[in-house]
Amino acid sequence: MLVALILFIAVLTALLYYRVSLLAGSVLLLLTVFVLALFAGGMWWLFWPLLAGAVVLNYTPLRQQWLSRPVYGLLQKAMPPMSDTEREALEAGTTWWEKDLFSGRPDWRRFQAIDPPQLSEAEQSFLDNEVETLCGMIDEWEVYQQQDLNEATWTYLKEQGFFGLIIPEEYGGRAFSPYAQSRVMSKIASRSITGAVTAMVPNSLGPGELLMKYGTDEQKQRWLPGLAKGEEIPCFGLTGPEVGSDAGAIPDTGVVCRGTFKGEEVIGLRLNFRKRWITLAPIATVVGLAFKLRDPEGLMGDPEKEDYGITCALLPADTEGVQIGTRHNPGTPFMNGPIIGRDVFIPLDWIIGGPEMAGRGWRMLIECLGVGRGISLPSLATASGEMNYLTVGAYARIRRQFNLEVGKFEGVQEATADIAATAVTLEAMRELVTRGLQDGAPSVVTAMAKYHATELMRTSVNHGMDVVSGRAIQLGPRNFMAFAYRGVPVAITVEGANILTRSLMIFGQGALRCHPYLFDEMQTLQASDSEAGLRAFDELLLSHLGHVFSNITRLKLFGFSGSRFSPVPEGCDDFSRRWYQHINHMSAALAVCADVALGVLGGALKRREMLSARLGDVHSQLFIACSLLKFREHEAPSEALDLHIDVALAQALFKAQTALLGFLENFPVRALGCAFRLACFPLGRIHKGPSDEQLRRLGDMIMEPNPVRSLLAGRIYLPQDADDAVGRVERTYQTLLQVDGPFQRFQRAWRKGKVAGEDLDSALADAVAEEVISEEAAAGIRQYDALRFDCLLTDDFESL
């Protein structure tokens, strides 16, 4: 009997693991129990209930009557109605690899087929020439002093097409890929946050992107050539005193009415709006606006429809009634200010896409904001992460205390190792996210990119401030960290505040968009024909239950086996194999826990933001881990790269595990939380994070020339000018590398008393006399020491 039960469980497990169809699975399971019952008579007690259950599940009328209809009715009462704006938000954009991770069954063949993004010859040339030239023109301290880019820089940005990177060539733009846009913006950002923000806004929500996707042919011909050439400077008015992350609460109005335009009476819109925090507004020549449209007189042709909802329009900045020109002060001196409009009358055909797009603005904004989240702000974060790697790593080698490089102290290494892993994580994530944007507009992926890239930036910059310390807090032309530090809050709060992005968007939108059945099930619950809705729901429910039980089975197997036998991409090496298998385990755990949360809490999960945010963190960290593995797959192999990737992966999976445990420990039904914690981690915690030894090695490596340092240096602007804040550190570091051998011998000899001298010059002279170093080496050390001392100085001013 025991053997029979074990065999039964093995067959059931195999059927669920491989997700065999209901009919085939029922037949196979019944045959198994029938055969086992011939040898172990006690199995008959199991055969008859299974037979009854199989009949009910496989015979549609019985299944609908006894299972689907009661569940359907219960959910109809429990689920809150979905508003039009919620439906549009959920339908906006596309899904991509993140859907596989949420399913609990990542298709590694599909992942393997994702090629890394590549720069075209024109894109690479633009980076090497126009972007390089632009970076050389900008002095961020000068920008800070003048609170603006200089006139020559503005002219260069316009004439060289920096505002038209996304615009098609037929309109005079450059038609760059998402990856190229990100590379361009991050290289500019490595030199100047102000320059990068100035260039990125026209290439994001701008409103160039809205015109390209939704504009009429006439609107495209009217505006895109001017935007591409920089003859028109755009801004887009979305946020205001009463509306920020909740764009659906826009109080600004547009009322359809009759008015006079160019001497003729036409049907148009009377706009009243008050916008704040609008980038480029003070100098804009064309203004995009989001507002709520009403047609109380039915002038648009539908007398029964008064409220159209959020609508987007485009108008010249000098339109009568529009007031712009004043500035906010966000701490980083890019152009940012308010836009006010009182009784502004515009023709109906100024609606982006024409009158037929009235009320479609919410979906337009969701899709275009998503692309901005995936490119603009992550590119700033990537630039900061890579600059931190190079400058803080170099400074930690140059700066000495207690006769030792500060980067050799373990407390510092804990910070610098995290800076190193973060830089690689940001670059890897940038590549996978922009590759996804190349295939569509994956809204969940871009929300992940915006939130996690900017949070990684915040942590990395704070680590850098800790390491560089007093040298980093004194403002002046020598400070290579100040402007990144001042720019962090901007990145954290714009394009959707990070708190909202994490707690609502990543899982709230992700669960419905990425779950294989949930969104379709919700659609059936609101069907006008209940019987048709029930029939559709019946099929979905059956598949959903199979999905749940299959994932629970996979989770148990992975938990007890350490997922060692789970599938991985073909041809992956031993390094990657275990990480892919860990992702399989955590993906199954995420899928099971998400279904448990949705099943138990239902619509209330939207209000339990701490719970949903933790599930979103799990999902995001799995995506980040995949980006790291994909990055390693196509970069030149090296021990340095493997160490960086290993530490970054250990961090990502540890964060995913911590988030999942936090979710289970705080699940309101405590018994379920405990049960599923045991199911997820039957042998205890798996991921410990990087070891101290790994952190020490990476803390040493960030101070040394290595392939990763060379790779990251190629992605940013790295000046060698000794009068430049960054160039001063880099030149000093490179000089140190040239004299490092003799310098270390000299330092050891001086420390041990083998060389006498009260100061550096006398000690060097004695070292030459004692043949510890050569005269040529002593001269090099003297040159380096002068640079070193100059590198450590901070600015001082006669008055402030």
Side-chain angles (χ1 to χ4, degrees), residues 29 86 114 254 313 425 520 539:
L29 196 60
E86 286 178 316
I114 298 173
T425 299
D520 291 336
E539 295 294 327

PDB file of all heavy atoms in Angstrom, residues 29 86 114 254 313 425 520 539:
ATOM      1  N   LEU A  29      -4.204   9.263 -14.804  1.00  0.00           N
ATOM      2  CA  LEU A  29      -4.255   9.112 -13.352  1.00  0.00           C
ATOM      3  C   LEU A  29      -5.215   7.987 -12.956  1.00  0.00           C
ATOM      4  O   LEU A  29      -4.903   7.175 -12.069  1.00  0.00           O
ATOM      5  CB  LEU A  29      -4.681  10.434 -12.708  1.00  0.00           C
ATOM      6  CG  LEU A  29      -4.423  10.560 -11.200  1.00  0.00           C
ATOM      7  CD1 LEU A  29      -2.939  10.434 -10.884  1.00  0.00           C
ATOM      8  CD2 LEU A  29      -4.956  11.886 -10.679  1.00  0.00           C
ATOM      9  N   GLU A  86      -8.744  52.824 -15.611  1.00  0.00           N
ATOM     10  CA  GLU A  86      -7.988  51.651 -15.164  1.00  0.00           C
ATOM     11  C   GLU A  86      -7.821  50.649 -16.301  1.00  0.00           C
ATOM     12  O   GLU A  86      -6.744  50.075 -16.492  1.00  0.00           O
ATOM     13  CB  GLU A  86      -8.700  50.987 -13.979  1.00  0.00           C
ATOM     14  CG  GLU A  86      -8.567  51.742 -12.674  1.00  0.00           C
ATOM     15  CD  GLU A  86      -9.337  51.074 -11.555  1.00  0.00           C
ATOM     16  OE1 GLU A  86     -10.484  50.651 -11.772  1.00  0.00           O
ATOM     17  OE2 GLU A  86      -8.774  50.975 -10.437  1.00  0.00           O
ATOM     18  N   ILE A 114      16.778  36.137 -27.304  1.00  0.00           N
ATOM     19  CA  ILE A 114      16.843  37.601 -27.206  1.00  0.00           C
ATOM     20  C   ILE A 114      18.281  38.046 -27.458  1.00  0.00           C
ATOM     21  O   ILE A 114      19.175  37.776 -26.670  1.00  0.00           O
ATOM     22  CB  ILE A 114      16.377  38.080 -25.815  1.00  0.00           C
ATOM     23  CG1 ILE A 114      14.921  37.692 -25.571  1.00  0.00           C
ATOM     24  CG2 ILE A 114      16.545  39.597 -25.696  1.00  0.00           C
ATOM     25  CD1 ILE A 114      14.436  37.984 -24.151  1.00  0.00           C
ATOM     26  N   GLY A 254     -10.904  71.422 -20.506  1.00  0.00           N
ATOM     27  CA  GLY A 254     -11.112  71.896 -21.864  1.00  0.00           C
ATOM     28  C   GLY A 254     -12.583  71.715 -22.196  1.00  0.00           C
ATOM     29  O   GLY A 254     -13.091  70.595 -22.135  1.00  0.00           O
ATOM     30  N   ALA A 313      -3.496  67.909 -26.191  1.00  0.00           N
ATOM     31  CA  ALA A 313      -3.473  68.861 -27.304  1.00  0.00           C
ATOM     32  C   ALA A 313      -2.092  69.491 -27.401  1.00  0.00           C
ATOM     33  O   ALA A 313      -1.297  69.438 -26.455  1.00  0.00           O
ATOM     34  CB  ALA A 313      -4.541  69.928 -27.115  1.00  0.00           C
ATOM     35  N   THR A 425      25.205  46.174 -12.699  1.00  0.00           N
ATOM     36  CA  THR A 425      23.763  45.909 -12.699  1.00  0.00           C
ATOM     37  C   THR A 425      23.023  46.941 -13.542  1.00  0.00           C
ATOM     38  O   THR A 425      22.142  46.598 -14.347  1.00  0.00           O
ATOM     39  CB  THR A 425      23.212  45.924 -11.261  1.00  0.00           C
ATOM     40  OG1 THR A 425      23.867  44.903 -10.500  1.00  0.00           O
ATOM     41  CG2 THR A 425      21.716  45.692 -11.241  1.00  0.00           C
ATOM     42  N   ASP A 520      -7.952  38.534 -18.269  1.00  0.00           N
ATOM     43  CA  ASP A 520      -9.059  38.012 -19.079  1.00  0.00           C
ATOM     44  C   ASP A 520     -10.222  37.575 -18.190  1.00  0.00           C
ATOM     45  O   ASP A 520     -11.392  37.758 -18.545  1.00  0.00           O
ATOM     46  CB  ASP A 520      -8.584  36.836 -19.930  1.00  0.00           C
ATOM     47  CG  ASP A 520      -7.623  37.262 -21.024  1.00  0.00           C
ATOM     48  OD1 ASP A 520      -7.680  38.440 -21.419  1.00  0.00           O
ATOM     49  OD2 ASP A 520      -6.810  36.441 -21.462  1.00  0.00           O
ATOM     50  N   GLU A 539     -13.576  28.311 -19.101  1.00  0.00           N
ATOM     51  CA  GLU A 539     -12.336  27.848 -19.727  1.00  0.00           C
ATOM     52  C   GLU A 539     -11.110  28.459 -19.039  1.00  0.00           C
ATOM     53  O   GLU A 539     -10.106  27.784 -18.807  1.00  0.00           O
ATOM     54  CB  GLU A 539     -12.335  28.211 -21.221  1.00  0.00           C
ATOM     55  CG  GLU A 539     -13.399  27.502 -22.034  1.00  0.00           C
ATOM     56  CD  GLU A 539     -13.161  25.995 -22.092  1.00  0.00           C
ATOM     57  OE1 GLU A 539     -11.987  25.575 -22.084  1.00  0.00           O
ATOM     58  OE2 GLU A 539     -14.152  25.244 -22.148  1.00  0.00           O
TER      59      GLU A 539
END
